[in-house]
Amino acid sequence: YRPMDPLLTGKSRNADVDPKIKEDWGFSPNYQGDVFNPNNRSDHIREEDSTSLYFYNLHPVMTVKELLDALIPLGPFGKIQQCNIKPPAPERGYHMSGAKVAMFHRREAEILKAMIDNTHNPVYVKGVKAFVRWNTQKVQDFGINHQGKMYMSRTLEIKGPKHLVNVEGLYNFWTQKFLFDLQDVFLVYEDNNVRHLRWVFASVLAQSEQAFLTLKESAFNGRVHFEYGKDPLELT
C-alpha cells in the first residue's frame, strides 16, 4: 500500500525506519506512507474497535477487482473504506497473496468475517478457498476521523457532456494525478449529448476522495456534475 504523499514527493519520510519499529506502531514492514503522521498510525486503536480484516490464502496472482467481485454474492454487508492486495513474498516464505479489507464500521467487518468463516458456505476466489482474520494493521471506524463525511464512499457518479465524461479521458486524467485501483466502471445512461458513468474504486481515502478533489480543482468543475454514490456492498 503506497499512500498519496510519498508518491507525489518521490520518497517516503520513513524510508530508513526500522521495519520492527513500523510493526510496533501498527504498520506493515512494507508500508511506504508517513509513519510519523499520527493519523496513519494504528497502535492506539483497540483491537475490538478495528474495522480491518486480513484475507489470506488468496491466489498468487490476485487483483482488487477479482477479490471484490468475489465478495459481491455475499452482500450487502457494508461500506468498504479500503481494499488492497499484498502480493506473495517467496523470499519470506509467503507464496500466496493476502489482502486488507477495512469496512466503515466494526459491525460491518464482523458481518463480513462471519460470512467468510462460515464453513457451510465457503468463499472461493479464483478457485482458491479464502480465509480471514482480524488484521494486525488496524483501521479506525471511518466516522471517528472523518466526522461529517459519512456521505463519502468509494463510488463516484459523474454526469456531463460525452466529450468530457468518457472512460479513457477520465482514466488518463487521474493516472497523471495519483495511483488507484478500480473495481468497475458502469455506463448508467447516455444519449446524444450526455453520459453518466459510475466509477467504483477500491478505497475511499486517496482514491475516490482524491478523484473527487482533482475534479473539483480542475477545468471539469462546473462543466460536469460529480458526487459520491452508493457502495455496491452497502447495507440499505
Side-chain angles (χ1 to χ4, degrees):
Y1 175 56
R2 302 184 63 185
M4 285 301 305
D5 289 345
L7 284 172
L8 296 178
T9 58
K11 183 179 179 181
S12 169
R13 281 187 61 199
N14 62 278
D16 300 320
V17 175
D18 189 309
K20 181 62 170 63
I21 295 177
K22 291 185 187 179
E23 291 189 276
D24 289 344
W25 288 356
F27 296 100
S28 162
N30 298 321
Y31 185 82
Q32 298 185 52
D34 185 359
V35 300
F36 300 101
N37 183 340
N39 291 327
N40 292 339
R41 291 177 58 170
S42 68
D43 54 328
H44 67 287
I45 302 172
R46 299 187 306 173
E47 289 186 11
E48 60 267 32
D49 293 333
S50 177
T51 69
S52 180
L53 297 171
Y54 185 73
F55 284 72
Y56 60 98
N57 195 54
L58 298 177
H59 193 282
V61 182
M62 175 64 56
T63 66
V64 161
K65 174 175 171 53
E66 289 169 333
L67 175 59
L68 292 174
D69 283 354
L71 298 181
I72 287 177
L74 301 178
F77 51 78
K79 291 173 69 174
I80 291 176
Q81 277 201 60
Q82 55 184 267
C83 176
N84 52 77
I85 301 297
K86 182 179 180 180
E91 70 282 1
R92 298 174 56 201
Y94 300 114
H95 299 280
M96 304 294 280
S97 295
K100 175 182 181 179
V101 178
M103 306 302 296
F104 263 55
H105 305 295
R106 171 71 181 203
R107 180 55 184 158
E108 295 171 334
E110 291 172 344
I111 292 172
L112 175 56
K113 185 176 185 300
M115 290 176 173
I116 303 298
D117 286 341
N118 184 357
T119 57
H120 299 292
N121 189 27
V123 175
Y124 288 85
V125 186
K126 295 183 71 172
V128 181
K129 184 179 178 180
F131 295 88
V132 69
R133 59 171 171 78
W134 290 107
N135 201 332
T136 56
Q137 277 79 55
K138 301 185 290 292
V139 173
Q140 193 79 275
D141 183 289
F142 192 83
I144 293 178
N145 292 328
H146 307 284
Q147 293 182 3
K149 294 185 177 181
M150 296 305 293
Y151 59 87
M152 294 172 63
S153 77
R154 59 193 180 94
T155 300
L156 283 187
E157 306 283 353
I158 305 176
K159 310 171 189 177
K162 295 173 70 173
H163 70 282
L164 294 175
V165 181
N166 61 83
V167 175
E168 183 178 3
L170 287 168
Y171 184 87
N172 290 337
F173 171 71
W174 283 324
T175 53
Q176 296 177 43
K177 307 290 184 180
F178 62 99
L179 291 182
F180 57 90
D181 289 305
L182 288 170
Q183 181 177 1
D184 262 313
V185 182
F186 298 98
L187 174 62
V188 179
Y189 167 83
E190 74 173 358
D191 58 25
N192 290 335
N193 303 305
V194 175
R195 180 179 289 127
H196 175 185
L197 295 178
R198 176 174 299 137
W199 292 72
V200 185
F201 293 83
S203 303
V204 179
L205 302 179
Q207 293 197 23
S208 66
E209 180 189 37
Q210 195 66 24
F212 185 97
L213 292 174
T214 55
L215 289 175
K216 187 176 180 179
E217 296 167 357
S218 73
F220 283 98
N221 195 15
R223 303 174 70 188
V224 302
H225 175 79
F226 48 95
E227 62 183 359
Y228 291 102
K230 183 178 179 180
D231 188 306
L233 295 167
E234 183 175 349
L235 289 166
T236 56

